[in-house]
Amino acid sequence: MNNKVLIAFFSRAGENYRNGKLVTLSVGNTEVAAGKIAAMTGGDLFKIEPLRSYAENYKACTEEAKMELQNNARPGLKHYLDSIDSYNTIILAYPNWWNTMPMPIWTFLEHYDFAGKVILPLCTHEGSAMGRSESNIRKLCPGAKIKPGLAVRGGEVEQADKCIREWLEDAGLL
């Protein structure tokens, strides 16, 4: 079977909370994880980017994210794929914001029909794991098969090759 893989990810560089302190990242944790997945699977990368960038300042960004979640916002995206029809498997990677996915992920998921697709969620976090993101994905993509997600601590993402590889193997992608 030809299993074409899409790695759709949202990631934020700038000031981030990592290993108990604020640090400035030139590449966001989730983007690092997505790059590792692409190298292992040969899948296509697609960066989910909101029209309006989030604040560089961590505290300001968390307040923006909280407000979007409370308002059930659907931020517009800079780019959309013409179609996801050719993909069998979508690896959806995102940071845990307020115990779920950032709202641009919701926009992305509502834009396409995932019926018959396999979705593998990967969440970067600093202690809150997957939160309720997997149940939210199930609600947003009722026709998709949602496989068990992988939670990777952002502060450990550079050393996460082994756990990512095992997760991809368990999902039958390697």
Side-chain angles (χ1 to χ4, degrees):
M1 178 178 117
N2 183 16
N3 189 18
K4 192 165 180 195
V5 176
L6 172 67
I7 302 125
F9 71 95
F10 171 86
S11 190
R12 185 182 153 279
E15 191 177 56
N16 277 267
Y17 187 73
R18 194 175 201 203
N19 293 328
K21 61 184 176 189
L22 289 175
V23 297
T24 301
L25 303 175
S26 59
V27 177
N29 296 323
T30 308
E31 187 165 356
V32 171
K36 290 176 180 293
I37 294 166
M40 291 178 197
T41 64
D44 297 336
L45 282 169
F46 178 74
K47 186 171 187 176
I48 299 167
E49 297 179 271
L51 287 171
R52 188 186 60 75
S53 297
Y54 291 94
E56 287 273 328
N57 175 276
Y58 177 77
K59 178 113 173 92
C61 176
T62 62
E63 289 305 312
E64 290 171 350
K66 182 179 183 181
M67 185 72 67
E68 283 184 349
L69 181 62
Q70 289 172 339
N71 293 330
N72 201 26
R74 296 300 186 272
L77 304 181
K78 288 182 181 179
H79 310 283
Y80 292 90
L81 294 162
D82 290 337
S83 172
I84 62 165
D85 292 348
S86 65
Y87 296 101
N88 309 88
T89 301
I90 289 81
I91 297 172
L92 187 65
Y94 50 87
N96 183 323
W97 283 10
W98 295 103
N99 203 36
T100 190
M101 309 166 291
M103 297 315 285
I105 296 288
W106 297 64
T107 301
F108 175 81
L109 292 176
E110 289 177 345
H111 188 80
Y112 302 99
D113 179 4
F114 290 89
K117 308 287 184 195
V118 173
I119 299 176
L120 283 88
L122 178 139
C123 179
T124 58
H125 68 97
E126 280 301 318
S128 49
M130 299 295 292
R132 64 180 182 275
S133 63
E134 288 172 300
S135 64
N136 288 331
I137 293 167
R138 280 186 191 87
K139 289 176 192 166
L140 291 166
C141 307
K145 179 178 182 181
I146 315 302
K147 289 201 171 182
L150 176 66
V152 177
R153 287 189 79 91
E156 298 169 2
V157 73
E158 282 88 1
Q159 298 81 32
D161 295 66
K162 183 176 186 282
C163 72
I164 291 172
R165 179 172 300 283
E166 289 172 353
W167 174 66
L168 293 169
E169 286 171 353
D170 289 347
L173 293 179
L174 297 181

